Amino acid sequence: MFILNVNLKIRSLSMLKTFSMRTLLFIGLLTSLIGCDKEDQTPKAPDCKITKMASNGDIKHPVIYGHGDTIMKIGEIHLGYVLYFDEKGKLLRKESPTTNPYYRTDLVYNNLGQVIELRYYGKQFGKSWEYEAKRSFTYDKGKLVKISDGYDYEINWQGNDIKSVIHRFRGQVDCIVTFTYDGLITNPNHQFNYFYFVDQNTNDVNYKLPYYFSQHLPTTQVRSCAIIPDPSIFSYTFAPNGLIESVLHEQSGGIGFIWEYEYGCKM
């Protein structure tokens, strides 16, 4: 009788253990299914690409794509430029204008995929390309910290935002440009930051740096080297897809758009 009771207890414990394991597995599976269902119901961000863009107050030029989503040409005839990519979609070169180009920029990368040089070439009267100059880029822990091209531009970060750029000539400070980020507007421009190296805006050691690389969008810029340090003020409008539609620049009563975009999106 004692042996029978022990066997019954063992069997009961075994059945209880099996039931508990099955219950836990069932609950886990149910939780997983509910989680998947919730995940499936989450709205997906639209897949958008730029269809038109303008810089420095120019008219918006069409953005023409080649294979897949690789941009091949921006603008037309003498007003635009052509971009060349490798088979993996990495930007290699810019040539302008689009017809009979005579300016060229080559991008040189390090083994981390960061641009470390821009090499500039030119040609005249149908001759071959001739090297003219270069600009170098230095990084620290993944962040751009210095640009050199005869001048040195030291880039100082505060967290993930560019706080200031110190302009140096022959080691001497020539100017300090400081940025603020009132409101901490999140910057959606990271996916297009390769445009920093090729777009037509020439303020590339000033507000163009935080516009493409900071986590947030800059709202003011102050230059210490100005006779009167009148701040530049930037305001933004956003398209329904959450990307930037336009950037308005105001200084000393003057006002104008410095970037404008149109997008095509699909879900």
Side-chain angles (χ1 to χ4, degrees):
M1 181 64 70
F2 175 75
I3 295 172
L4 179 61
N5 287 337
V6 170
N7 287 337
L8 285 173
K9 286 181 180 179
I10 292 172
R11 185 179 299 176
S12 298
L13 288 170
S14 178
M15 290 175 66
L16 181 61
K17 186 176 181 181
T18 302
F19 175 77
S20 299
M21 289 297 295
R22 287 177 179 174
T23 303
L24 289 172
L25 286 171
F26 175 75
I27 292 171
L29 178 62
L30 185 61
T31 304
S32 176
L33 288 172
I34 292 171
C36 289
D37 185 55
K38 286 183 178 179
E39 185 178 345
D40 291 341
Q41 292 177 1
T42 303
K44 295 181 179 179
D47 178 18
C48 300
K49 60 184 181 181
I50 299 171
T51 56
K52 288 186 178 181
M53 66 182 296
S55 183
N56 297 325
D58 196 5
I59 63 170
K60 282 186 277 192
H61 296 295
V63 178
I64 301 169
Y65 290 81
H67 301 292
D69 288 341
T70 301
I71 297 171
M72 299 295 290
K73 185 165 64 174
I74 299 172
E76 298 173 325
I77 314 174
H78 62 285
L79 297 175
Y81 53 95
V82 180
L83 301 179
Y84 294 90
F85 296 78
D86 67 11
E87 65 279 0
K88 294 182 180 179
K90 184 166 68 177
L91 179 60
L92 298 177
R93 181 182 304 161
K94 169 189 175 182
E95 291 183 1
S96 62
T98 56
T99 303
N100 299 322
Y102 45 85
Y103 291 120
R104 173 179 138 194
T105 303
D106 286 0
L107 287 77
V108 181
Y109 294 83
N110 62 17
N111 57 8
L112 298 177
Q114 299 165 320
V115 176
I116 56 172
E117 277 188 6
L118 294 181
R119 295 177 181 173
Y120 303 105
Y121 297 83
K123 66 177 178 179
Q124 295 180 348
F125 311 112
K127 294 181 179 179
S128 59
W129 292 107
E130 294 185 8
Y131 172 81
E132 294 180 344
K134 73 174 181 179
R135 169 172 280 190
S136 300
F137 301 85
T138 304
Y139 300 83
D140 181 33
K141 298 177 182 177
K143 291 179 178 178
L144 182 61
V145 293
K146 186 178 179 182
I147 301 173
S148 301
D149 59 4
Y151 271 82
D152 288 326
Y153 306 96
E154 177 187 317
I155 302 161
N156 299 300
W157 294 77
Q158 186 173 62
N160 291 319
D161 292 323
I162 295 174
K163 183 62 178 175
S164 64
V165 180
I166 300 176
H167 298 208
R168 298 180 186 273
F169 182 63
R170 295 178 179 175
Q172 301 298 312
V173 175
D174 185 53
C175 188
I176 301 175
V177 183
T178 305
F179 307 99
T180 59
Y181 299 83
D182 300 339
L184 295 179
I185 310 167
T186 300
N187 188 353
N189 239 29
H190 287 289
Q191 60 190 296
F192 306 120
N193 63 17
Y194 61 86
F195 273 121
Y196 169 81
F197 301 101
V198 292
D199 86 0
Q200 304 292 63
N201 189 287
T202 57
N203 279 276
D204 48 0
V205 292
N206 297 298
Y207 59 77
K208 185 175 173 180
L209 274 166
Y211 178 69
Y212 279 110
F213 293 111
S214 287
Q215 182 180 354
H216 300 95
L217 289 170
T219 50
T220 64
Q221 170 188 283
V222 176
R223 292 168 54 86
S224 69
C225 48
I227 298 174
I228 301 176
D230 190 20
S232 292
I233 300 172
F234 309 99
S235 56
Y236 304 85
T237 57
F238 297 89
N241 56 32
L243 298 174
I244 296 170
E245 190 172 78
S246 64
V247 184
L248 193 65
H249 175 223
E250 183 176 1
Q251 186 179 35
S252 302
I255 191 167
F257 289 106
I258 49 177
W259 282 287
E260 294 179 272
Y261 307 91
E262 291 182 16
Y263 302 90
C265 298
K266 59 184 180 181
M267 293 301 294

